[in-house]
Amino acid sequence: MQKRQTSSRTSRQMSMRRRYARWAMLLLGLGVSGILAAAATVIGAYHYVSPSLPQAETIRDIPLQIPLRIFSRDGRLIEEVGERRRILVDYEDLPPFVVHAFVAAEDGRFFEHPGIDYQGIMRALLLLVKSGEISGGGSTITQQLARDYFLTREQLFTRKLREAFLAWQIEQAFSKEEIMALFLNKMFFGQRAYGVAAAAQVYYGKSLSDINIAEVATLAGVLPAPSEYNPVRSVANAGIRRRYVLNRMHDLDYINERQLEDALAYPLESQLHGTKNDLSAPYVAEMVRREMLRRYGEATYSAGYSVITTLDSRLQESANYAVRNGLLEFTRRRGYRGPIATVALEPETLATPYIEWPGELQRQLQDYSDPAGLSVAIVTALNEANNSVDIVLQDGTESMIAWHGISWARPYVDRETRGPAPETVADVLTTGDIIYVMPITVGGWALAQLPAVQSAVVSVDPLDGAITSLVGGLDFSLSKFNRATQSARQPGSSFKPFIYSAALKSGNTLATIVPDSPVVISSTALERLWRPVNYSGRFYGDQRVREAMVRSMNLASVRLLLNNTGIGNAVRHLSPFGFNDAALPRNGSLALGGGNASPLDMAQAYATFANGGYAVKPYVIDSIIGPTDKYLYRAEPFVVCPKCEPADEPEQPPRSEPQYPVHFPESDKIISVDEELLQEVYINRGGALAIDRLDPIYEQLFDDGTVTLEQMAPMGETYQPDATMEPEIFADVKLAERIISPHNAFLIQDAMRDVIRRGTGVRARVLGRTDLSGKTGTSNDRRDAWFAGFNSDIASVVWVGYDDDSTLGPREEGSRTALPIWIEFARRALDGVPNHRMDTPEGIVSVRISKTTGCPVDATTPFEDVMFEHFREDMVPECDVDEVVPDIFNTSDDSGNLF
């Protein structure tokens, strides 16, 4: 019995083993079949989608949309122009915690998987089984990169297949570091920000190297839904996403507990920031944008062009400061027009902090912009005890304005009239006034108002016409009209130096006598009897030409044009300066700047005086660089280069080779070098010269048979050829055309230096320089105020006026309104720059003349009537002199008879 039971048990065990073996074989077969089927499926799927897959390497050739970037000539960013803001960065430039934040947020196993993460795929499959829909989750960073470069966001199975295979291809073609850099440069972060560097600028106003862990966690949290998760759109959503990213960074040991707590406690900023420009020059940026659009069309905004302008950042900053300060000072002189607005403030509101004010009141205060560097504030209390007011700024900061910041505010009546000076703060302000304020140098704030008047400043390099600074108005955000280039206004007396230059060309001198007496002209062009007058209303009688310019005499200038020069001669002389027909009326008003010219026209013309007589053409684009960092354009301006001009000399007969003494420090010897060798050194600046080309004396200096450039450097300093000696060196130089003689330019410069020494520009003496020439200008009815000034390094022009061409007001002329702006510009622009003015050209002589007659004098002329004047040596006046011998012994009677 027992044996039968044992046998039965053994039989059942063997049967069970056979069944297990069959199941194992079946499962193994199914597993192998499954693997083979899966492999076949993958292979089949790959062959199915591969024809439509692009090559991963083509990512390198796909340009990212990069905005136009505009720079000053010293490399400072002026503006970015384009729909998409993007700043490309290399992986090496990424702070480690930036990479960690995006790995934690998007793909925790990024540095481990081959582009496809099976764990993510399993999660997506589970969601597919549960919901029956294809989910967007499970994509690695590499898959997201593939999708954003090559695919759409459609939730289709075939798209997911292509995405996976493309990700694998990308991983084979690029390193992990390259993939991360491509990803962080490509992705959209909302608010027109593409790439993490641009996002840091847009949301925080910082460069990527300056953001902290909390801020980068916010940026990393934005990617799944940029329009919903960015902090400007929703602080709450951004906060949730930031917390998730920070916790993931902590879980992955990228940050410690302390860093996590600090980052979670960091305030979440909700504010848009513009491009972090290094230099404010919006009017120039607009000029460049228009020109680029003309050249390259809509690709201007996305192809990644960079434009290097001719702007000098130091000069541009000087111009910005001068315009703002000058116009704010002008508007204080013209009276206070009142607050921006006035709102009712309840007593209980005033008793609470700003943060607890009603939201509507806060929004109302925030609605006002802060143009021209001014700030907006609301008056919360008048303090009669010390004549001050309490204010709250737009950011909630509480402050006050002392009486010295308010006392200027005489009420505005009209553009020519002001009311009485205020005596108390209540005469000016009331509680609830929304006002403009500005910081002051002694600390605190002063009452301000937005100027209604406008100004333009432009400076050019006299040697080639490069625009080194340009301001087209007070604030580009308020008015995009560029008054430096687009506004044609009457230049008034600032035009007179050009008339005087024409007069010199016509045979006059600075000593020519011209009557400053009434002029009445019946002119069909002027449609009335024209009676010009002097600013003072007086007549000064006979005046020398120099004195007429220094004191800006209108009547003498008109007579100089009409009687001594001729309108036709003047127009022909002035056209090469760059003036168009609108600036050159064919009547007597030409002498007083009765035409129309822009500030840039005037700066171009004054550059001719500054450079010694050459015509230059203003330009603002120095070079254009394409997206591959190749130069697409480089300016080739006409340049002033006297030594590049071959001398008009007769051909000289052959002469013996001159010898040039050259000191060689290596041997402490001085030797003589012939001109041919020096030319070789000057032209061939690379390599070495064989010893057989040299004088045998060099063998005593150098034993190895060669002379290096370093050894030849002293020769290069000794030999300075001009175009006459070496025309081939200067053959490609585009020479500016000489349009007036050096003598003419020198004499006008010298007379205009007197304008600053003792004339209408005397305020500029505060600069303490001896190289400045200048001229004030005021148009009819004081509608325009001008000052133009220059030395040999810079020519600059300032214009002030209203856009509606109305009067500036009493006593607002060039010397009071425009000149202070120019002085402030020059003070900063020329700080530390040595004096530089034109040398006296050959053919100019200095002669003692009579101040009264302009004639050369002898020893008998009273000392107080004697002065020195410059003349061309062939233009020294010859005056008729009575041949009377002085009676030094007083031997005649009253009738003149000798005793």
Side-chain angles (χ1 to χ4, degrees):
M1 181 64 122
Q2 186 175 2
K3 290 180 179 180
R4 283 197 302 268
Q5 290 177 345
T6 301
S7 175
S8 176
R9 188 181 306 114
T10 300
S11 177
R12 285 196 301 272
Q13 288 175 347
M14 292 180 65
S15 176
M16 290 178 65
R17 288 194 187 100
R18 285 193 293 269
R19 283 199 299 272
Y20 288 151
R22 286 196 298 269
W23 277 108
M25 291 297 295
L26 178 61
L27 290 175
L28 179 61
L30 289 174
V32 171
S33 299
I35 291 171
L36 293 174
T41 300
V42 170
I43 293 171
Y46 178 77
H47 284 289
Y48 174 73
V49 300
S50 62
S52 63
L53 292 180
Q55 293 296 314
E57 278 286 348
T58 59
I59 286 181
R60 301 186 193 273
D61 302 322
I62 298 176
L64 296 173
Q65 291 192 22
I66 302 172
L68 168 68
R69 288 196 176 93
I70 304 169
F71 298 89
S72 65
R73 70 184 184 189
D74 48 351
R76 297 179 64 178
L77 178 64
I78 295 173
E79 191 61 88
E80 286 187 355
V81 183
E83 180 181 349
R84 296 187 175 189
R85 301 176 183 176
R86 179 179 272 118
I87 303 170
L88 297 183
V89 292
D90 295 326
Y91 184 84
E92 293 76 15
D93 299 326
L94 295 170
F97 64 82
V98 172
V99 175
H100 295 159
F102 284 90
V103 168
E106 297 293 323
D107 186 359
R109 287 172 19 89
F110 170 72
F111 287 101
E112 302 168 15
H113 62 65
I116 306 164
D117 186 3
Y118 73 91
Q119 295 180 3
I121 294 175
M122 293 302 297
R123 287 194 300 269
L125 287 174
L126 288 175
L127 288 172
L128 174 62
V129 172
K130 290 181 180 179
S131 64
E133 296 180 356
I134 298 174
S135 169
S139 293
T140 64
I141 283 177
T142 315
Q143 287 176 274
Q144 293 180 58
L145 186 67
R147 181 182 64 218
D148 271 61
Y149 263 104
F150 299 115
L151 306 173
T152 67
R153 291 182 175 268
E154 294 177 298
Q155 297 297 328
L156 299 175
F157 187 72
T158 52
R159 195 272 293 170
K160 295 292 286 185
L161 276 177
R162 288 196 295 271
E163 179 184 291
F165 288 127
L166 271 174
W168 183 82
Q169 286 187 3
I170 290 171
E171 291 275 349
Q172 309 311 304
F174 297 89
S175 68
K176 288 289 188 179
E177 290 76 13
E178 289 176 316
I179 293 170
M180 178 59 72
L182 287 168
F183 177 79
L184 293 181
N185 282 320
K186 171 70 174 173
M187 304 307 290
F188 177 53
F189 286 80
Q191 302 295 339
R192 296 173 51 211
Y194 289 79
V196 66
Q201 178 59 53
V202 166
Y203 292 115
Y204 302 114
K206 299 179 180 180
S207 64
L208 198 58
S209 59
D210 294 330
I211 62 175
N212 58 40
I213 293 174
E215 291 166 338
V216 77
T218 304
L219 297 181
V222 163
L223 285 185
S227 61
E228 297 297 329
Y229 292 159
N230 79 72
V232 174
R233 176 65 180 271
S234 173
V235 174
N237 288 348
I240 293 171
R241 287 292 300 168
R242 182 179 76 168
R243 177 177 290 274
Y244 165 76
V245 174
L246 290 171
N247 284 324
R248 284 282 296 155
M249 293 178 73
H250 181 258
D251 293 343
L252 295 174
D253 293 329
Y254 289 143
I255 58 176
N256 57 37
E257 191 70 29
R258 177 63 180 273
Q259 290 174 311
L260 174 64
E261 293 174 358
D262 290 346
L264 289 172
Y266 191 81
L268 185 62
E269 184 176 340
S270 175
Q271 180 181 352
L272 278 179
H273 296 263
T275 303
K276 189 177 182 181
N277 297 338
D278 300 318
L279 181 65
S280 176
Y283 291 96
V284 171
E286 176 61 12
M287 292 167 65
V288 171
R289 185 195 69 83
R290 288 172 178 267
E291 176 60 20
M292 291 294 290
L293 196 62
R294 185 189 69 81
R295 289 171 180 256
Y296 302 108
E298 292 299 319
T300 293
Y301 304 123
S302 59
Y305 295 111
S306 294
V307 175
I308 311 301
T309 69
T310 57
L311 290 191
D312 182 305
S313 61
R314 182 173 55 86
L315 300 186
Q316 182 65 30
E317 288 173 342
S318 301
N320 291 338
Y321 180 86
V323 166
R324 176 181 177 273
N325 275 23
L327 294 188
L328 288 173
E329 182 61 32
F330 173 89
T331 201
R332 287 164 69 104
R333 290 199 302 267
R334 305 320 309 162
Y336 182 56
R337 300 189 303 271
I340 307 170
T342 302
V343 298
L345 289 180
E346 300 297 332
E348 54 271 21
T349 299
L350 297 175
T352 60
Y354 171 80
I355 195 171
E356 298 178 12
W357 284 11
E360 183 179 351
L361 180 58
Q362 291 188 26
R363 285 192 297 273
Q364 188 172 359
L365 185 60
Q366 295 295 330
D367 282 344
Y368 294 101
S369 62
D370 48 358
L374 301 178
S375 299
V376 176
I378 186 169
V379 176
T380 56
L382 307 185
N383 305 312
E384 297 181 2
N386 59 3
N387 253 358
S388 66
V389 296
D390 294 336
I391 60 173
V392 173
L393 300 170
Q394 283 179 311
D395 62 359
T397 302
E398 297 180 358
S399 190
M400 58 87 66
I401 306 177
W403 175 242
H404 61 74
I406 303 171
S407 58
W408 65 268
R410 293 174 61 180
Y412 172 88
V413 177
D414 56 42
R415 287 185 175 174
E416 298 194 18
T417 313
R418 291 184 297 167
E423 296 181 0
T424 69
V425 69
D427 294 336
V428 182
L429 299 170
T430 187
T431 301
D433 282 351
I434 298 177
I435 59 175
Y436 288 116
V437 296
M438 59 183 289
I440 54 179
T441 54
V442 296
W445 298 89
L447 176 66
Q449 66 182 349
L450 187 65
V453 70
Q454 288 288 348
S455 179
V457 173
V458 59
S459 66
V460 301
D461 185 334
L463 296 183
D464 65 355
I467 297 173
T468 51
S469 67
L470 187 146
V471 177
L474 174 65
D475 191 303
F476 186 76
S477 66
L478 298 176
S479 171
K480 294 175 174 55
F481 180 62
N482 189 341
R483 296 155 191 85
T485 61
Q486 298 173 309
S487 178
R489 305 293 290 250
Q490 281 192 357
S493 294
S494 65
F495 195 80
K496 287 177 181 174
F498 305 103
I499 300 299
Y500 285 61
S501 173
L504 296 182
K505 175 68 180 299
S506 297
N508 297 278
T509 72
L510 294 179
T512 298
I513 298 299
V514 183
D516 186 74
S517 56
V519 176
V520 179
I521 299 174
S522 178
S523 170
T524 55
L526 297 173
E527 299 180 352
R528 57 184 170 83
L529 286 177
W530 186 53
R531 295 184 177 87
V533 296
N534 287 323
Y535 171 74
S536 65
R538 299 168 55 193
F539 307 111
Y540 296 97
D542 289 348
Q543 297 291 329
R544 286 173 289 106
V545 165
R546 176 187 288 270
E547 199 66 18
M549 181 189 287
V550 169
R551 297 167 64 183
S552 198
M553 296 178 183
N554 289 342
L555 302 177
S557 299
V558 171
R559 288 185 178 277
L560 181 66
L561 171 65
L562 297 180
N563 302 336
N564 295 45
T565 307
I567 292 175
N569 290 335
V571 169
R572 284 188 291 274
H573 179 79
L574 298 181
S575 293
F577 281 82
F579 294 117
N580 58 30
D581 288 345
L584 303 174
R586 270 63 171 178
N587 55 58
S589 70
L590 176 65
L592 307 183
N596 293 297
S598 71
L600 183 58
D601 294 336
M602 296 294 288
Q604 175 184 0
Y606 269 99
T608 294
F609 291 141
N611 64 34
Y614 297 86
V616 292
K617 186 176 182 180
Y619 68 102
V620 75
I621 295 180
D622 180 77
S623 57
I624 301 172
I625 303 173
T628 58
D629 292 334
K630 291 184 179 179
Y631 281 92
L632 305 179
Y633 166 82
R634 285 184 173 178
E636 296 181 354
F638 290 93
V639 298
V640 176
C641 181
K643 79 172 186 176
C644 303
E645 300 173 346
D648 296 327
E649 297 179 356
E651 186 175 339
Q652 299 293 325
R655 54 191 174 87
S656 59
E657 292 188 354
Q659 299 291 306
Y660 296 85
V662 179
H663 174 248
F664 282 81
E666 294 87 346
S667 60
D668 197 26
K669 295 182 180 181
I670 297 178
I671 63 171
S672 294
V673 181
D674 61 56
E675 183 175 358
E676 183 180 2
L677 178 59
L678 285 174
Q679 292 173 2
E680 187 82 12
V681 175
Y682 191 86
I683 297 172
N684 300 296
R685 297 181 179 274
L689 301 176
I691 197 68
D692 58 11
R693 287 280 295 110
L694 309 180
D695 191 279
I697 194 170
Y698 289 102
E699 296 178 3
Q700 304 172 28
L701 299 175
F702 309 106
D703 297 330
D704 61 355
T706 63
V707 181
T708 67
L709 273 181
E710 186 176 296
Q711 295 164 332
M712 299 289 283
M715 298 185 202
E717 295 174 1
T718 303
Y719 182 64
Q720 297 294 329
D722 58 22
T724 302
M725 299 172 66
E726 289 298 333
E728 66 273 16
I729 296 177
F730 304 97
D732 296 330
V733 178
K734 296 177 65 175
L735 296 178
E737 178 187 2
R738 177 176 286 284
I739 59 173
I740 60 174
S741 71
H743 313 94
N744 189 305
F746 173 81
L747 293 172
I748 294 298
Q749 276 194 31
D750 190 63
M752 292 175 68
R753 274 195 289 274
D754 259 5
V755 172
I756 290 178
R757 289 193 197 105
R758 58 186 180 86
T760 56
V762 70
R763 291 187 182 190
R765 288 178 58 183
V766 70
L767 296 171
R769 299 181 67 94
T770 60
D771 61 338
L772 298 178
S773 301
K775 186 67 186 75
T776 56
T778 309
S779 66
N780 291 336
D781 301 323
R782 300 183 181 86
R783 291 186 174 92
D784 306 272
W786 297 77
F787 187 82
F790 62 88
N791 66 4
S792 292
D793 295 322
I794 185 172
S796 52
V797 171
V798 173
W799 166 86
V800 180
Y802 287 105
D803 285 339
D804 63 5
D805 205 28
S806 60
T807 180
L808 289 166
R811 301 176 57 208
E812 298 293 352
E813 60 275 342
S815 61
R816 188 186 190 208
T817 308
L819 177 55
I821 295 176
W822 187 89
I823 290 172
E824 196 57 54
F825 166 74
R827 187 195 314 277
R828 291 165 170 259
L830 299 177
D831 183 33
V833 178
N835 283 293
H836 187 198
R837 69 186 193 186
M838 182 181 179
D839 294 330
T840 305
E842 292 185 11
I844 291 290
V845 295
S846 184
V847 179
R848 294 170 71 246
I849 66 166
S850 165
K851 295 179 182 178
T852 305
T853 66
C855 294
V857 299
D858 55 26
T860 64
T861 305
F863 177 77
E864 62 271 13
D865 189 40
V866 176
M867 64 170 287
F868 281 93
E869 184 57 273
H870 294 297
F871 298 91
R872 276 178 45 183
E873 60 185 358
D874 60 342
M875 294 293 294
V876 177
E878 297 180 0
C879 301
D880 294 332
V881 180
D882 294 334
E883 294 294 334
V884 177
V885 178
D887 183 15
I888 61 175
F889 297 105
N890 195 23
T891 56
S892 64
D893 59 20
D894 291 341
S895 65
N897 297 320
L898 293 175
F899 290 121

